[in-house]
């Protein structure tokens, strides 16, 4: 039998389902919350509930928007509607926005091709990219997946799929180390890789 009460064990279990959180970090987070009294834990619970209930994926770009509200990325009239930047995750949108080098539209893949992990083309929302292309406004698709094996494989797959669809396809130029994760690259480096992008097709 465990030395800890059931609700605590349940929370530990839930936290450990999250990426990057092992038993030690889960315990640290929970005890830090409990040490601060009821209110911080209740505030977190309320914000998580509202997150789950009132945030959804935008069907066009697949980034997150307030449920049923216009997408702040797709509907912003100041954005350049001739450019579409394809990224692995919604977090990458924030990183690219932070470079200040890009003001076009986005497509979030929510993963990279990985047959080993069961991630196939249909999980990446390619149909949403094709729907956008058929609108005729997109002039260039920038493939901004990371320079890892899966990132490169995904970029090549998309480049061949989207070639001859009427838009140029380019790949961001990496001044960043091969195998690097975007999350560890500074905004300046990422900005340079965007502005130095190379044409792949089109
Ligand atoms: Zn959107």
């Amino acid at each position: 039998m465990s030395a800890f009460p059931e609700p605590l064990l349940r929370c530990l279990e839930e936290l450990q389902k999250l990426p990057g959180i092992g038993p030690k970090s889960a315990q640290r987070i929970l005890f830090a919350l409990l040490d601060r009294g009821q209110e911080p834990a209740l505030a977190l619970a309320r914000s998580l509930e509202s997150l789950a209930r009132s945030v959804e994926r935008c069907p066009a770009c697949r980034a997150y928007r307030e449920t049923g509200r216009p997408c702040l990325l797709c509907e912003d009239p100041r954005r350049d509607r001739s450019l579409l930047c394809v990224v692995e995750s919604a977090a990458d949108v924030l990183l690219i926005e932070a470079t200040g080098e890009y003001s076009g539209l986005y497509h979030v893949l929510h993963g990279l091709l990985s047959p080993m992990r069961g991630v196939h083309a249909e999980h990446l929302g390619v149909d949403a990219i094709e729907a956008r292309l058929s609108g005729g406004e997109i002039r260039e698709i920038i493939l901004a997946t990371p320079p890892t094996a899966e990132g490169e494989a995904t970029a090549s797959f998309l480049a061949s799929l989207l070639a001859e669809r009427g838009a140029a396809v380019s790949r961001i130029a990496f001044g960043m180390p091969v195998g690097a994760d975007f999350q560890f690259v500074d905004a300046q480096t990422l900005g340079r890789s965007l502005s130095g992008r190379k044409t792949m097709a089109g």
Side-chain angles (χ1 to χ4, degrees):
M1 226 178 85
S2 165
F4 290 115
E6 166 64 22
L8 203 154
L9 296 177
R10 210 171 334 134
C11 269
L12 282 175
E13 207 181 292
E14 289 303 322
L15 277 175
Q16 286 177 66
K17 291 177 187 166
L18 299 172
I21 300 196
K24 287 258 168 59
S25 355
Q27 288 167 20
R28 209 162 42 236
I29 293 168
L30 274 196
F31 290 130
L33 270 174
L34 289 171
D35 288 349
R36 284 167 205 176
Q38 265 189 4
E39 193 40 46
L42 289 173
L44 179 65
R46 284 193 296 269
S47 63
L48 283 176
E49 179 164 8
S50 109
L51 176 78
R53 290 191 192 286
S54 51
V55 173
E56 66 178 2
R57 275 187 197 178
C58 164
C61 70
R62 312 210 318 155
Y64 294 104
R65 67 174 186 187
E66 211 175 319
T67 304
R69 308 273 304 164
C71 171
L72 297 176
L73 293 164
C74 294
E75 307 292 328
D76 184 344
R78 290 163 301 181
R79 302 200 75 98
D80 181 348
R81 313 192 74 78
S82 70
L83 293 174
L84 182 70
C85 183
V86 179
V87 293
E88 176 188 359
S89 70
D92 293 342
V93 172
L94 298 178
L95 292 173
I96 289 180
E97 287 296 289
T99 68
E101 293 280 339
Y102 183 76
S103 64
L105 303 172
Y106 287 95
H107 175 84
V108 181
L109 298 167
H110 292 286
L112 295 171
L113 276 188
S114 172
M116 301 252 291
R117 286 190 286 119
V119 184
H120 302 285
E122 64 266 28
H123 299 115
L124 306 179
V126 177
D127 47 340
I129 303 182
E130 288 177 326
R132 271 217 147 123
L133 281 174
S134 60
E137 273 185 295
I138 305 287
R139 199 168 34 79
E140 181 184 354
I141 299 172
I142 304 164
L143 302 173
T145 53
T148 56
E150 289 179 354
E152 294 297 352
T154 307
S156 316
F157 167 78
L158 291 173
S160 51
L161 191 79
L162 301 170
E164 296 165 32
R165 291 294 310 264
V169 180
S170 58
R171 176 91 176 104
I172 58 171
F174 289 101
M176 47 197 272
V178 171
D181 193 308
F182 275 15
Q183 306 296 323
F184 301 110
V185 174
D186 63 278
Q188 219 183 7
T189 307
L190 189 57
R192 273 201 304 272
S193 16
L194 265 169
S195 52
R197 62 187 182 267
K198 307 260 187 311
T199 306
M200 283 182 94

